[in-house]
Structure formats: C-alpha cells, structure tokens
Amino acid sequence: MTRVEARERNRRALLDAAFEVVARDGYRAKLEEIVERAGVTTGAVYSLFGSKSGLVVALAADYLKPHYEEIHRAVTAEMDLGEAVDAFARSSWRSAAAPSGRSDVSLQITLVDMAVHDPELGSQLAASIRAQEGQLTSLFTGRAHTDGTVTPAQARRLVTALRALFVSLRQGVVLGLAPDADEEYFVAAARALVSTSCLLEQPPTAGRPHNPQ
C-alpha cells in the first residue's frame, strides 16, 4: 500500500467510525472511541482533519456528497428555472423517501445539536453549508425565467429558501408529520417559492429604502 493509499484508508476509516459514534452520542462523542474504532492514532485525526471539529465537518460533507451529486445529475443545463426547481424538488423527495431517509434526518438533527453545544463546530458547519449553497447557487444562476435570466443574487436567495423548505419537509416525512407530502407536493411547494416575487427580486441597494410595490 502506498502512502497515499494508506492515508485515504485512514481517512475513510475515521469517517466511518465517526458516523457510528456521532450518530449514537452526538456532542458527547469521544475522539478516543472514534480513533479506536478506526484503528488509528489521535495524530491521524489532526493530520487529516485538523481537529475533532474538522472531522465532524468532513463527516457531514461526506454524508451529503451523494445527495448533491444526485441534484447535479438531475438538474441539467438545458432546463429553465421552473424545470430546474422541479428536478431539485423530485431529487429531494427521493432522498426523503429512500431507506436512508431516517438516518439522514437523524444525522441532521445530531449535527444541529452538536453545533449548539460547540460554537466553534457550529461556525465550521455553517461555512461548509454556505459552500454547498454556493454550488447550488451556481446551478440555478443564468437560467431562463419569466422575468429574464436568474442573477447570482436571485439564485442565492432561492437556494436558501429551497434548502430550508426541504430540510423541514424531509424531517416531516420521516417523522410522520407530513403524511400527505408526496413527490408532487414537494414540486408544488418548490414552485410556490419560484412564483413568489420577493424571493427572486434583487435585494435592495444598501442605504436605499425598499419599496415592495
């Protein structure tokens, strides 16, 4: 095994061990147990991730990676904004309805709990989420819409709203709080955001009063 291969093996082992321990213990997760399960030393955590917080942030990104890859496959370049939002919504529905939906929601809730108890971790997780939102913003920017072409500022506002919507809806589906929420409901909810002008208008210029009319 080469040095690069050994490093990747250790990285994968730490991420898998961290998922098991974090999913069970949340903010009480002990780094000592994670490294023991992974079969590495504590030094490997600092070498690969910088800190325990860095490991948790990498865990979140690694766990969400397939979901974001699915979105990028579903939202193709030729779609206009409405079609792109429909595809985004259907991808989110598949994520909620998948066998892994319950563990996805469990990890989301656990990470929020950890962020509340550890401000440093919370700051790092927020930066990671903003980076993910930036990728989605690029995905929607430039698409045709009834008012013209979607600007980066408009796409950013829409992505923030879509993420909040689908995080809540996925939790509702898994927890049984949204028994009537099917795939078409996800699409209709997302479309309602697109048709709401306040989400797609340019933010008001700094210092200038905003006139909603």
PDB file of all heavy atoms in Angstrom, residues 12-51:
ATOM      1  N   ARG A  12     -10.967   7.205   5.389  1.00  0.00           N
ATOM      2  CA  ARG A  12     -12.249   6.513   5.274  1.00  0.00           C
ATOM      3  C   ARG A  12     -12.629   5.829   6.583  1.00  0.00           C
ATOM      4  O   ARG A  12     -13.794   5.859   7.003  1.00  0.00           O
ATOM      5  CB  ARG A  12     -12.140   5.475   4.154  1.00  0.00           C
ATOM      6  CG  ARG A  12     -13.409   4.736   3.792  1.00  0.00           C
ATOM      7  CD  ARG A  12     -14.380   5.640   3.094  1.00  0.00           C
ATOM      8  NE  ARG A  12     -15.406   6.166   3.987  1.00  0.00           N
ATOM      9  CZ  ARG A  12     -16.144   7.217   3.699  1.00  0.00           C
ATOM     10  NH1 ARG A  12     -15.970   7.879   2.570  1.00  0.00           N
ATOM     11  NH2 ARG A  12     -17.048   7.627   4.547  1.00  0.00           N
ATOM     12  N   ALA A  13     -11.649   5.220   7.229  1.00  0.00           N
ATOM     13  CA  ALA A  13     -11.916   4.528   8.493  1.00  0.00           C
ATOM     14  C   ALA A  13     -12.373   5.515   9.568  1.00  0.00           C
ATOM     15  O   ALA A  13     -13.277   5.214  10.353  1.00  0.00           O
ATOM     16  CB  ALA A  13     -10.654   3.788   8.950  1.00  0.00           C
ATOM     17  N   LEU A  14     -11.774   6.692   9.598  1.00  0.00           N
ATOM     18  CA  LEU A  14     -12.157   7.701  10.585  1.00  0.00           C
ATOM     19  C   LEU A  14     -13.562   8.238  10.311  1.00  0.00           C
ATOM     20  O   LEU A  14     -14.350   8.443  11.241  1.00  0.00           O
ATOM     21  CB  LEU A  14     -11.141   8.847  10.603  1.00  0.00           C
ATOM     22  CG  LEU A  14      -9.864   8.578  11.384  1.00  0.00           C
ATOM     23  CD1 LEU A  14      -8.791   9.617  11.052  1.00  0.00           C
ATOM     24  CD2 LEU A  14     -10.154   8.564  12.890  1.00  0.00           C
ATOM     25  N   LEU A  15     -13.884   8.462   9.050  1.00  0.00           N
ATOM     26  CA  LEU A  15     -15.226   8.951   8.713  1.00  0.00           C
ATOM     27  C   LEU A  15     -16.288   7.920   9.074  1.00  0.00           C
ATOM     28  O   LEU A  15     -17.338   8.269   9.637  1.00  0.00           O
ATOM     29  CB  LEU A  15     -15.302   9.294   7.221  1.00  0.00           C
ATOM     30  CG  LEU A  15     -14.538  10.546   6.783  1.00  0.00           C
ATOM     31  CD1 LEU A  15     -14.510  10.646   5.262  1.00  0.00           C
ATOM     32  CD2 LEU A  15     -15.160  11.803   7.380  1.00  0.00           C
ATOM     33  N   ASP A  16     -16.025   6.653   8.783  1.00  0.00           N
ATOM     34  CA  ASP A  16     -16.991   5.600   9.104  1.00  0.00           C
ATOM     35  C   ASP A  16     -17.159   5.460  10.616  1.00  0.00           C
ATOM     36  O   ASP A  16     -18.285   5.318  11.122  1.00  0.00           O
ATOM     37  CB  ASP A  16     -16.541   4.272   8.501  1.00  0.00           C
ATOM     38  CG  ASP A  16     -16.618   4.254   6.978  1.00  0.00           C
ATOM     39  OD1 ASP A  16     -17.311   5.132   6.413  1.00  0.00           O
ATOM     40  OD2 ASP A  16     -15.974   3.386   6.365  1.00  0.00           O
ATOM     41  N   ALA A  17     -16.044   5.491  11.345  1.00  0.00           N
ATOM     42  CA  ALA A  17     -16.110   5.378  12.805  1.00  0.00           C
ATOM     43  C   ALA A  17     -16.802   6.587  13.412  1.00  0.00           C
ATOM     44  O   ALA A  17     -17.600   6.457  14.353  1.00  0.00           O
ATOM     45  CB  ALA A  17     -14.700   5.219  13.373  1.00  0.00           C
ATOM     46  N   ALA A  18     -16.505   7.773  12.872  1.00  0.00           N
ATOM     47  CA  ALA A  18     -17.127   8.994  13.388  1.00  0.00           C
ATOM     48  C   ALA A  18     -18.635   8.960  13.190  1.00  0.00           C
ATOM     49  O   ALA A  18     -19.393   9.388  14.072  1.00  0.00           O
ATOM     50  CB  ALA A  18     -16.531  10.216  12.693  1.00  0.00           C
ATOM     51  N   PHE A  19     -19.080   8.442  12.056  1.00  0.00           N
ATOM     52  CA  PHE A  19     -20.525   8.350  11.822  1.00  0.00           C
ATOM     53  C   PHE A  19     -21.186   7.481  12.888  1.00  0.00           C
ATOM     54  O   PHE A  19     -22.227   7.840  13.459  1.00  0.00           O
ATOM     55  CB  PHE A  19     -20.812   7.788  10.437  1.00  0.00           C
ATOM     56  CG  PHE A  19     -22.276   7.567  10.193  1.00  0.00           C
ATOM     57  CD1 PHE A  19     -23.105   8.631   9.910  1.00  0.00           C
ATOM     58  CD2 PHE A  19     -22.829   6.303  10.281  1.00  0.00           C
ATOM     59  CE1 PHE A  19     -24.462   8.450   9.706  1.00  0.00           C
ATOM     60  CE2 PHE A  19     -24.181   6.103  10.084  1.00  0.00           C
ATOM     61  CZ  PHE A  19     -25.008   7.175   9.797  1.00  0.00           C
ATOM     62  N   GLU A  20     -20.599   6.343  13.178  1.00  0.00           N
ATOM     63  CA  GLU A  20     -21.179   5.436  14.171  1.00  0.00           C
ATOM     64  C   GLU A  20     -21.250   6.091  15.546  1.00  0.00           C
ATOM     65  O   GLU A  20     -22.279   6.024  16.232  1.00  0.00           O
ATOM     66  CB  GLU A  20     -20.347   4.158  14.253  1.00  0.00           C
ATOM     67  CG  GLU A  20     -20.373   3.313  12.984  1.00  0.00           C
ATOM     68  CD  GLU A  20     -19.466   2.103  13.082  1.00  0.00           C
ATOM     69  OE1 GLU A  20     -18.899   1.879  14.175  1.00  0.00           O
ATOM     70  OE2 GLU A  20     -19.321   1.387  12.082  1.00  0.00           O
ATOM     71  N   VAL A  21     -20.166   6.725  15.960  1.00  0.00           N
ATOM     72  CA  VAL A  21     -20.104   7.285  17.310  1.00  0.00           C
ATOM     73  C   VAL A  21     -20.926   8.568  17.418  1.00  0.00           C
ATOM     74  O   VAL A  21     -21.664   8.774  18.384  1.00  0.00           O
ATOM     75  CB  VAL A  21     -18.632   7.545  17.723  1.00  0.00           C
ATOM     76  CG1 VAL A  21     -18.565   8.180  19.107  1.00  0.00           C
ATOM     77  CG2 VAL A  21     -17.839   6.242  17.697  1.00  0.00           C
ATOM     78  N   VAL A  22     -20.822   9.426  16.417  1.00  0.00           N
ATOM     79  CA  VAL A  22     -21.574  10.681  16.433  1.00  0.00           C
ATOM     80  C   VAL A  22     -23.072  10.426  16.354  1.00  0.00           C
ATOM     81  O   VAL A  22     -23.862  11.056  17.057  1.00  0.00           O
ATOM     82  CB  VAL A  22     -21.113  11.601  15.281  1.00  0.00           C
ATOM     83  CG1 VAL A  22     -22.092  12.749  15.068  1.00  0.00           C
ATOM     84  CG2 VAL A  22     -19.718  12.149  15.567  1.00  0.00           C
ATOM     85  N   ALA A  23     -23.484   9.472  15.497  1.00  0.00           N
ATOM     86  CA  ALA A  23     -24.901   9.164  15.374  1.00  0.00           C
ATOM     87  C   ALA A  23     -25.471   8.671  16.703  1.00  0.00           C
ATOM     88  O   ALA A  23     -26.639   8.909  17.014  1.00  0.00           O
ATOM     89  CB  ALA A  23     -25.116   8.123  14.284  1.00  0.00           C
ATOM     90  N   ARG A  24     -24.658   8.005  17.481  1.00  0.00           N
ATOM     91  CA  ARG A  24     -25.121   7.463  18.762  1.00  0.00           C
ATOM     92  C   ARG A  24     -25.033   8.476  19.902  1.00  0.00           C
ATOM     93  O   ARG A  24     -25.958   8.600  20.702  1.00  0.00           O
ATOM     94  CB  ARG A  24     -24.277   6.232  19.115  1.00  0.00           C
ATOM     95  CG  ARG A  24     -24.752   5.469  20.353  1.00  0.00           C
ATOM     96  CD  ARG A  24     -23.695   4.484  20.811  1.00  0.00           C
ATOM     97  NE  ARG A  24     -22.515   5.169  21.328  1.00  0.00           N
ATOM     98  CZ  ARG A  24     -21.294   4.636  21.357  1.00  0.00           C
ATOM     99  NH1 ARG A  24     -21.085   3.424  20.870  1.00  0.00           N
ATOM    100  NH2 ARG A  24     -20.277   5.324  21.848  1.00  0.00           N
ATOM    101  N   ASP A  25     -23.919   9.232  19.960  1.00  0.00           N
ATOM    102  CA  ASP A  25     -23.642  10.056  21.139  1.00  0.00           C
ATOM    103  C   ASP A  25     -23.767  11.554  20.910  1.00  0.00           C
ATOM    104  O   ASP A  25     -23.749  12.318  21.875  1.00  0.00           O
ATOM    105  CB  ASP A  25     -22.221   9.761  21.651  1.00  0.00           C
ATOM    106  CG  ASP A  25     -22.066   8.331  22.119  1.00  0.00           C
ATOM    107  OD1 ASP A  25     -23.100   7.685  22.410  1.00  0.00           O
ATOM    108  OD2 ASP A  25     -20.925   7.845  22.186  1.00  0.00           O
ATOM    109  N   GLY A  26     -23.870  12.009  19.649  1.00  0.00           N
ATOM    110  CA  GLY A  26     -23.985  13.439  19.395  1.00  0.00           C
ATOM    111  C   GLY A  26     -22.786  14.211  19.921  1.00  0.00           C
ATOM    112  O   GLY A  26     -21.639  13.794  19.746  1.00  0.00           O
ATOM    113  N   TYR A  27     -23.059  15.356  20.592  1.00  0.00           N
ATOM    114  CA  TYR A  27     -21.960  16.201  21.051  1.00  0.00           C
ATOM    115  C   TYR A  27     -21.128  15.532  22.150  1.00  0.00           C
ATOM    116  O   TYR A  27     -20.035  16.004  22.475  1.00  0.00           O
ATOM    117  CB  TYR A  27     -22.500  17.554  21.532  1.00  0.00           C
ATOM    118  CG  TYR A  27     -23.246  17.529  22.836  1.00  0.00           C
ATOM    119  CD1 TYR A  27     -22.583  17.734  24.051  1.00  0.00           C
ATOM    120  CD2 TYR A  27     -24.613  17.307  22.873  1.00  0.00           C
ATOM    121  CE1 TYR A  27     -23.278  17.710  25.249  1.00  0.00           C
ATOM    122  CE2 TYR A  27     -25.313  17.283  24.060  1.00  0.00           C
ATOM    123  CZ  TYR A  27     -24.642  17.487  25.252  1.00  0.00           C
ATOM    124  OH  TYR A  27     -25.323  17.464  26.441  1.00  0.00           O
ATOM    125  N   ARG A  28     -21.612  14.433  22.703  1.00  0.00           N
ATOM    126  CA  ARG A  28     -20.855  13.701  23.726  1.00  0.00           C
ATOM    127  C   ARG A  28     -19.879  12.704  23.104  1.00  0.00           C
ATOM    128  O   ARG A  28     -19.176  11.991  23.826  1.00  0.00           O
ATOM    129  CB  ARG A  28     -21.810  12.950  24.654  1.00  0.00           C
ATOM    130  CG  ARG A  28     -22.739  13.867  25.458  1.00  0.00           C
ATOM    131  CD  ARG A  28     -23.615  13.046  26.407  1.00  0.00           C
ATOM    132  NE  ARG A  28     -24.515  13.888  27.161  1.00  0.00           N
ATOM    133  CZ  ARG A  28     -25.706  14.272  26.756  1.00  0.00           C
ATOM    134  NH1 ARG A  28     -26.147  13.880  25.558  1.00  0.00           N
ATOM    135  NH2 ARG A  28     -26.473  15.039  27.502  1.00  0.00           N
ATOM    136  N   ALA A  29     -19.839  12.624  21.790  1.00  0.00           N
ATOM    137  CA  ALA A  29     -18.946  11.682  21.107  1.00  0.00           C
ATOM    138  C   ALA A  29     -17.498  11.921  21.518  1.00  0.00           C
ATOM    139  O   ALA A  29     -17.029  13.064  21.548  1.00  0.00           O
ATOM    140  CB  ALA A  29     -19.093  11.833  19.592  1.00  0.00           C
ATOM    141  N   LYS A  30     -16.796  10.854  21.840  1.00  0.00           N
ATOM    142  CA  LYS A  30     -15.411  10.939  22.294  1.00  0.00           C
ATOM    143  C   LYS A  30     -14.459  10.607  21.145  1.00  0.00           C
ATOM    144  O   LYS A  30     -14.610   9.591  20.462  1.00  0.00           O
ATOM    145  CB  LYS A  30     -15.170   9.963  23.448  1.00  0.00           C
ATOM    146  CG  LYS A  30     -16.047  10.201  24.672  1.00  0.00           C
ATOM    147  CD  LYS A  30     -15.742  11.553  25.310  1.00  0.00           C
ATOM    148  CE  LYS A  30     -16.543  11.717  26.603  1.00  0.00           C
ATOM    149  NZ  LYS A  30     -16.299  13.064  27.212  1.00  0.00           N
ATOM    150  N   LEU A  31     -13.480  11.489  20.972  1.00  0.00           N
ATOM    151  CA  LEU A  31     -12.491  11.269  19.921  1.00  0.00           C
ATOM    152  C   LEU A  31     -11.734   9.971  20.154  1.00  0.00           C
ATOM    153  O   LEU A  31     -11.398   9.258  19.198  1.00  0.00           O
ATOM    154  CB  LEU A  31     -11.519  12.450  19.878  1.00  0.00           C
ATOM    155  CG  LEU A  31     -10.480  12.432  18.750  1.00  0.00           C
ATOM    156  CD1 LEU A  31     -11.161  12.407  17.390  1.00  0.00           C
ATOM    157  CD2 LEU A  31      -9.561  13.651  18.861  1.00  0.00           C
ATOM    158  N   GLU A  32     -11.492   9.631  21.433  1.00  0.00           N
ATOM    159  CA  GLU A  32     -10.747   8.416  21.758  1.00  0.00           C
ATOM    160  C   GLU A  32     -11.468   7.170  21.218  1.00  0.00           C
ATOM    161  O   GLU A  32     -10.832   6.248  20.699  1.00  0.00           O
ATOM    162  CB  GLU A  32     -10.555   8.298  23.275  1.00  0.00           C
ATOM    163  CG  GLU A  32      -9.669   9.365  23.889  1.00  0.00           C
ATOM    164  CD  GLU A  32     -10.383  10.699  24.077  1.00  0.00           C
ATOM    165  OE1 GLU A  32     -11.617  10.742  23.876  1.00  0.00           O
ATOM    166  OE2 GLU A  32      -9.701  11.677  24.411  1.00  0.00           O
ATOM    167  N   GLU A  33     -12.785   7.136  21.336  1.00  0.00           N
ATOM    168  CA  GLU A  33     -13.522   5.979  20.829  1.00  0.00           C
ATOM    169  C   GLU A  33     -13.512   5.946  19.304  1.00  0.00           C
ATOM    170  O   GLU A  33     -13.426   4.870  18.698  1.00  0.00           O
ATOM    171  CB  GLU A  33     -14.961   5.982  21.336  1.00  0.00           C
ATOM    172  CG  GLU A  33     -15.740   4.756  20.859  1.00  0.00           C
ATOM    173  CD  GLU A  33     -17.168   4.683  21.369  1.00  0.00           C
ATOM    174  OE1 GLU A  33     -17.565   5.571  22.144  1.00  0.00           O
ATOM    175  OE2 GLU A  33     -17.871   3.733  20.963  1.00  0.00           O
ATOM    176  N   ILE A  34     -13.589   7.118  18.686  1.00  0.00           N
ATOM    177  CA  ILE A  34     -13.579   7.173  17.221  1.00  0.00           C
ATOM    178  C   ILE A  34     -12.278   6.597  16.669  1.00  0.00           C
ATOM    179  O   ILE A  34     -12.291   5.758  15.760  1.00  0.00           O
ATOM    180  CB  ILE A  34     -13.787   8.621  16.734  1.00  0.00           C
ATOM    181  CG1 ILE A  34     -15.199   9.100  17.076  1.00  0.00           C
ATOM    182  CG2 ILE A  34     -13.551   8.709  15.220  1.00  0.00           C
ATOM    183  CD1 ILE A  34     -15.445  10.566  16.791  1.00  0.00           C
ATOM    184  N   VAL A  35     -11.151   7.039  17.235  1.00  0.00           N
ATOM    185  CA  VAL A  35      -9.867   6.555  16.705  1.00  0.00           C
ATOM    186  C   VAL A  35      -9.663   5.073  17.020  1.00  0.00           C
ATOM    187  O   VAL A  35      -9.054   4.339  16.232  1.00  0.00           O
ATOM    188  CB  VAL A  35      -8.685   7.401  17.236  1.00  0.00           C
ATOM    189  CG1 VAL A  35      -8.803   8.839  16.787  1.00  0.00           C
ATOM    190  CG2 VAL A  35      -8.570   7.325  18.751  1.00  0.00           C
ATOM    191  N   GLU A  36     -10.189   4.629  18.160  1.00  0.00           N
ATOM    192  CA  GLU A  36     -10.074   3.204  18.495  1.00  0.00           C
ATOM    193  C   GLU A  36     -10.856   2.359  17.494  1.00  0.00           C
ATOM    194  O   GLU A  36     -10.364   1.330  17.012  1.00  0.00           O
ATOM    195  CB  GLU A  36     -10.592   2.958  19.911  1.00  0.00           C
ATOM    196  CG  GLU A  36     -10.474   1.506  20.349  1.00  0.00           C
ATOM    197  CD  GLU A  36     -10.965   1.273  21.766  1.00  0.00           C
ATOM    198  OE1 GLU A  36     -11.270   2.278  22.463  1.00  0.00           O
ATOM    199  OE2 GLU A  36     -11.046   0.101  22.177  1.00  0.00           O
ATOM    200  N   ARG A  37     -12.073   2.793  17.164  1.00  0.00           N
ATOM    201  CA  ARG A  37     -12.876   2.066  16.186  1.00  0.00           C
ATOM    202  C   ARG A  37     -12.215   2.076  14.809  1.00  0.00           C
ATOM    203  O   ARG A  37     -12.308   1.109  14.056  1.00  0.00           O
ATOM    204  CB  ARG A  37     -14.267   2.684  16.080  1.00  0.00           C
ATOM    205  CG  ARG A  37     -15.218   2.318  17.208  1.00  0.00           C
ATOM    206  CD  ARG A  37     -16.514   3.096  17.077  1.00  0.00           C
ATOM    207  NE  ARG A  37     -17.498   2.692  18.071  1.00  0.00           N
ATOM    208  CZ  ARG A  37     -18.482   1.834  17.862  1.00  0.00           C
ATOM    209  NH1 ARG A  37     -18.631   1.285  16.667  1.00  0.00           N
ATOM    210  NH2 ARG A  37     -19.333   1.519  18.823  1.00  0.00           N
ATOM    211  N   ALA A  38     -11.575   3.201  14.470  1.00  0.00           N
ATOM    212  CA  ALA A  38     -10.935   3.329  13.160  1.00  0.00           C
ATOM    213  C   ALA A  38      -9.611   2.591  13.079  1.00  0.00           C
ATOM    214  O   ALA A  38      -9.094   2.352  11.981  1.00  0.00           O
ATOM    215  CB  ALA A  38     -10.722   4.807  12.833  1.00  0.00           C
ATOM    216  N   GLY A  39      -9.042   2.241  14.241  1.00  0.00           N
ATOM    217  CA  GLY A  39      -7.763   1.542  14.248  1.00  0.00           C
ATOM    218  C   GLY A  39      -6.591   2.434  13.903  1.00  0.00           C
ATOM    219  O   GLY A  39      -5.606   1.978  13.308  1.00  0.00           O
ATOM    220  N   VAL A  40      -6.699   3.728  14.266  1.00  0.00           N
ATOM    221  CA  VAL A  40      -5.612   4.679  14.003  1.00  0.00           C
ATOM    222  C   VAL A  40      -5.287   5.422  15.299  1.00  0.00           C
ATOM    223  O   VAL A  40      -5.912   5.193  16.342  1.00  0.00           O
ATOM    224  CB  VAL A  40      -6.008   5.695  12.903  1.00  0.00           C
ATOM    225  CG1 VAL A  40      -6.333   4.967  11.602  1.00  0.00           C
ATOM    226  CG2 VAL A  40      -7.200   6.540  13.345  1.00  0.00           C
ATOM    227  N   THR A  41      -4.342   6.322  15.227  1.00  0.00           N
ATOM    228  CA  THR A  41      -3.973   7.132  16.384  1.00  0.00           C
ATOM    229  C   THR A  41      -4.674   8.478  16.334  1.00  0.00           C
ATOM    230  O   THR A  41      -5.168   8.899  15.282  1.00  0.00           O
ATOM    231  CB  THR A  41      -2.460   7.362  16.430  1.00  0.00           C
ATOM    232  OG1 THR A  41      -2.086   8.164  15.290  1.00  0.00           O
ATOM    233  CG2 THR A  41      -1.702   6.047  16.387  1.00  0.00           C
ATOM    234  N   THR A  42      -4.688   9.163  17.463  1.00  0.00           N
ATOM    235  CA  THR A  42      -5.267  10.504  17.509  1.00  0.00           C
ATOM    236  C   THR A  42      -4.534  11.439  16.550  1.00  0.00           C
ATOM    237  O   THR A  42      -5.138  12.338  15.956  1.00  0.00           O
ATOM    238  CB  THR A  42      -5.200  11.068  18.941  1.00  0.00           C
ATOM    239  OG1 THR A  42      -5.867  10.157  19.830  1.00  0.00           O
ATOM    240  CG2 THR A  42      -5.861  12.426  19.034  1.00  0.00           C
ATOM    241  N   GLY A  43      -3.249  11.212  16.385  1.00  0.00           N
ATOM    242  CA  GLY A  43      -2.475  12.049  15.478  1.00  0.00           C
ATOM    243  C   GLY A  43      -3.006  12.016  14.061  1.00  0.00           C
ATOM    244  O   GLY A  43      -2.896  13.008  13.324  1.00  0.00           O
ATOM    245  N   ALA A  44      -3.602  10.894  13.652  1.00  0.00           N
ATOM    246  CA  ALA A  44      -4.150  10.800  12.304  1.00  0.00           C
ATOM    247  C   ALA A  44      -5.303  11.767  12.113  1.00  0.00           C
ATOM    248  O   ALA A  44      -5.493  12.315  11.024  1.00  0.00           O
ATOM    249  CB  ALA A  44      -4.609   9.369  12.023  1.00  0.00           C
ATOM    250  N   VAL A  45      -6.088  11.985  13.173  1.00  0.00           N
ATOM    251  CA  VAL A  45      -7.205  12.936  13.084  1.00  0.00           C
ATOM    252  C   VAL A  45      -6.680  14.330  12.800  1.00  0.00           C
ATOM    253  O   VAL A  45      -7.179  15.032  11.903  1.00  0.00           O
ATOM    254  CB  VAL A  45      -8.026  12.937  14.393  1.00  0.00           C
ATOM    255  CG1 VAL A  45      -9.101  14.017  14.348  1.00  0.00           C
ATOM    256  CG2 VAL A  45      -8.647  11.568  14.618  1.00  0.00           C
ATOM    257  N   TYR A  46      -5.659  14.737  13.535  1.00  0.00           N
ATOM    258  CA  TYR A  46      -5.126  16.086  13.360  1.00  0.00           C
ATOM    259  C   TYR A  46      -4.384  16.229  12.040  1.00  0.00           C
ATOM    260  O   TYR A  46      -4.404  17.296  11.419  1.00  0.00           O
ATOM    261  CB  TYR A  46      -4.219  16.433  14.544  1.00  0.00           C
ATOM    262  CG  TYR A  46      -4.998  16.542  15.825  1.00  0.00           C
ATOM    263  CD1 TYR A  46      -5.073  15.472  16.717  1.00  0.00           C
ATOM    264  CD2 TYR A  46      -5.707  17.699  16.141  1.00  0.00           C
ATOM    265  CE1 TYR A  46      -5.816  15.560  17.891  1.00  0.00           C
ATOM    266  CE2 TYR A  46      -6.451  17.804  17.306  1.00  0.00           C
ATOM    267  CZ  TYR A  46      -6.509  16.725  18.172  1.00  0.00           C
ATOM    268  OH  TYR A  46      -7.251  16.813  19.316  1.00  0.00           O
ATOM    269  N   SER A  47      -3.759  15.150  11.588  1.00  0.00           N
ATOM    270  CA  SER A  47      -3.062  15.190  10.309  1.00  0.00           C
ATOM    271  C   SER A  47      -4.040  15.293   9.138  1.00  0.00           C
ATOM    272  O   SER A  47      -3.802  16.048   8.186  1.00  0.00           O
ATOM    273  CB  SER A  47      -2.203  13.936  10.154  1.00  0.00           C
ATOM    274  OG  SER A  47      -1.639  13.864   8.862  1.00  0.00           O
ATOM    275  N   LEU A  48      -5.162  14.567   9.238  1.00  0.00           N
ATOM    276  CA  LEU A  48      -6.106  14.500   8.123  1.00  0.00           C
ATOM    277  C   LEU A  48      -7.170  15.586   8.167  1.00  0.00           C
ATOM    278  O   LEU A  48      -7.608  16.083   7.121  1.00  0.00           O
ATOM    279  CB  LEU A  48      -6.792  13.128   8.111  1.00  0.00           C
ATOM    280  CG  LEU A  48      -5.913  11.947   7.704  1.00  0.00           C
ATOM    281  CD1 LEU A  48      -6.569  10.636   8.091  1.00  0.00           C
ATOM    282  CD2 LEU A  48      -5.629  11.979   6.214  1.00  0.00           C
ATOM    283  N   PHE A  49      -7.617  15.962   9.390  1.00  0.00           N
ATOM    284  CA  PHE A  49      -8.764  16.861   9.510  1.00  0.00           C
ATOM    285  C   PHE A  49      -8.486  18.116  10.349  1.00  0.00           C
ATOM    286  O   PHE A  49      -9.329  19.005  10.390  1.00  0.00           O
ATOM    287  CB  PHE A  49      -9.951  16.103  10.120  1.00  0.00           C
ATOM    288  CG  PHE A  49     -10.354  14.893   9.332  1.00  0.00           C
ATOM    289  CD1 PHE A  49     -10.003  13.618   9.772  1.00  0.00           C
ATOM    290  CD2 PHE A  49     -11.070  15.012   8.154  1.00  0.00           C
ATOM    291  CE1 PHE A  49     -10.368  12.489   9.051  1.00  0.00           C
ATOM    292  CE2 PHE A  49     -11.445  13.887   7.424  1.00  0.00           C
ATOM    293  CZ  PHE A  49     -11.089  12.633   7.871  1.00  0.00           C
ATOM    294  N   GLY A  50      -7.353  18.184  10.993  1.00  0.00           N
ATOM    295  CA  GLY A  50      -7.001  19.376  11.767  1.00  0.00           C
ATOM    296  C   GLY A  50      -7.494  19.361  13.196  1.00  0.00           C
ATOM    297  O   GLY A  50      -6.843  19.902  14.084  1.00  0.00           O
ATOM    298  N   SER A  51      -8.652  18.747  13.442  1.00  0.00           N
ATOM    299  CA  SER A  51      -9.246  18.736  14.773  1.00  0.00           C
ATOM    300  C   SER A  51     -10.446  17.793  14.773  1.00  0.00           C
ATOM    301  O   SER A  51     -10.873  17.308  13.717  1.00  0.00           O
ATOM    302  CB  SER A  51      -9.699  20.141  15.189  1.00  0.00           C
ATOM    303  OG  SER A  51     -10.746  20.584  14.327  1.00  0.00           O
TER     304      SER A  51
END
